[in-house]
Amino acid sequence: MNKAVFLDRDGTIIREFHQGGRDLTNISQVKLYHNVPRALKLLQQSGYKLIVITNQSLIARGIIPERQLMLIHQYLKKLLSKKGIKIDAIYYCPHHPTKGIIKRYSRICSCRKPQTGLIKKAIKDFHIDPKQSFFIGDTLRDKQAAEKMGIKFVLILTGYGRKTMREIDKKMSVLTIGNLLKASKWIVSAL
Ligand SMILES: [Mg+2]
Ligand SMILES: [Zn+2]
C-alpha cells in the first residue's frame, strides 16, 4: 500500500485566480505559491505520492474546452518537474450540477468535491492507504471529501483558507496550518 498527500489545486498549490471573479483559462495565469516546490519536494522525499484533486466546473460552464484544461495541467506538471517534483496524477471534476451549459457535464455527479469519486479513483489507481494519507486544501469541500474517505485533513490559509476558517463551526475540529510548506513539514515530522 502507498501513502499519498492529496492536494487541492487552486488556492493550495497555485494562486486562486477565481477570487478576482475570473476563471483560470490560460497557462500564463498559473502561478505557484511561494515555497510550494519546497513543500512538495519534502513530501515526495518522505515517500508520499502527490495527487491533485480539483473541481473544474469551468468545463461544464463552457469557459474552456477540456483539452485546454489538459494543457494547463501539463504546464503545471512541467513547472514542477523542472524543480524535481513529480505530480503522480491530477484528477479533476468537469461537472456542475446547475450552472453548466455543456450538456454532458451539466449534472449532479459523484466526483465534484465534497463528493469522493475522484479520491476513490486515486486510491484504487495508486493502491493508497487512506489512513496513512493526508489531504491539504483551502475549503470545507476539501475537508468534507477527505474525511468521508478517512483521510486526515489539513486546512491551509492561502486561497480561500482564511474565509474558510471564519466559516468553521466552533464545534468542528480542523487542523489549520498557515501554508503548504508548514503543513508539509508538520506531516513529515508527524510520522
Ligand atoms: Mg481550493
Ligand atoms: Zn464530477
Side-chain angles (χ1 to χ4, degrees):
M1 292 279 256
N2 292 304
K3 55 185 185 178
V5 174
F6 295 96
L7 300 145
D8 171 50
R9 194 192 84 176
D10 303 333
T12 299
I13 57 178
I14 63 172
R15 195 161 59 101
E16 172 56 79
F17 203 73
H18 200 245
Q19 267 175 322
R22 289 171 297 172
D23 289 287
L24 193 158
T25 55
N26 195 283
I27 57 168
S28 66
Q29 298 158 332
V30 174
K31 306 273 186 245
L32 292 171
Y33 284 118
H34 183 59
N35 280 339
V36 160
R38 267 179 74 198
L40 297 182
K41 194 103 188 222
L42 199 62
L43 295 172
Q44 183 175 273
Q45 284 168 343
S46 299
Y48 289 97
K49 299 254 177 235
L50 301 175
I51 297 174
V52 176
I53 303 282
T54 180
N55 287 352
Q56 293 300 329
S57 68
L58 79 175
I59 305 293
R61 289 182 287 117
I63 309 289
I64 57 170
E66 207 158 0
R67 63 178 177 279
Q68 179 68 7
L69 186 66
M70 303 289 192
L71 290 177
I72 290 167
H73 287 170
Q74 269 171 26
Y75 176 77
L76 176 60
K77 282 182 172 178
K78 205 173 89 189
L79 212 57
L80 288 165
S81 81
K82 281 185 190 155
K83 315 250 179 196
I85 296 146
K86 183 184 167 220
I87 295 292
D88 291 282
I90 301 178
Y91 292 90
Y92 62 88
C93 164
H95 306 109
H96 197 281
T98 56
K99 290 182 187 160
I101 58 163
I102 307 293
K103 208 171 170 207
R104 71 181 182 285
Y105 296 132
S106 305
R107 60 178 176 88
I108 293 171
C109 67
S110 58
C111 57
R112 182 174 162 81
K113 294 176 289 183
Q115 305 306 318
T116 54
L118 299 177
I119 304 177
K120 274 188 188 142
K121 184 163 188 336
I123 286 174
K124 198 161 163 252
D125 291 348
F126 289 90
H127 309 285
I128 288 160
D129 178 5
K131 289 194 189 66
Q132 290 186 63
S133 299
F134 295 85
F135 196 121
I136 305 175
D138 68 323
T139 67
L140 284 181
R141 279 182 194 158
D142 296 319
K143 172 181 155 66
Q144 288 157 359
E147 291 180 351
K148 279 181 207 163
M149 296 305 298
I151 297 167
K152 288 174 279 299
F153 178 72
V154 182
L155 177 72
I156 58 173
L157 299 179
T158 48
Y160 288 111
R162 289 187 186 280
K163 183 170 172 273
T164 302
M165 201 171 65
R166 288 193 295 272
E167 285 166 4
I168 289 170
D169 190 315
K170 297 266 187 301
K171 288 165 283 182
M172 217 187 269
S173 85
V174 186
L175 174 61
T176 305
I177 303 182
N179 60 48
L180 193 71
L181 182 60
K182 286 182 186 164
S184 301
K185 284 182 176 169
W186 179 81
I187 287 173
V188 168
S189 65
L191 292 176

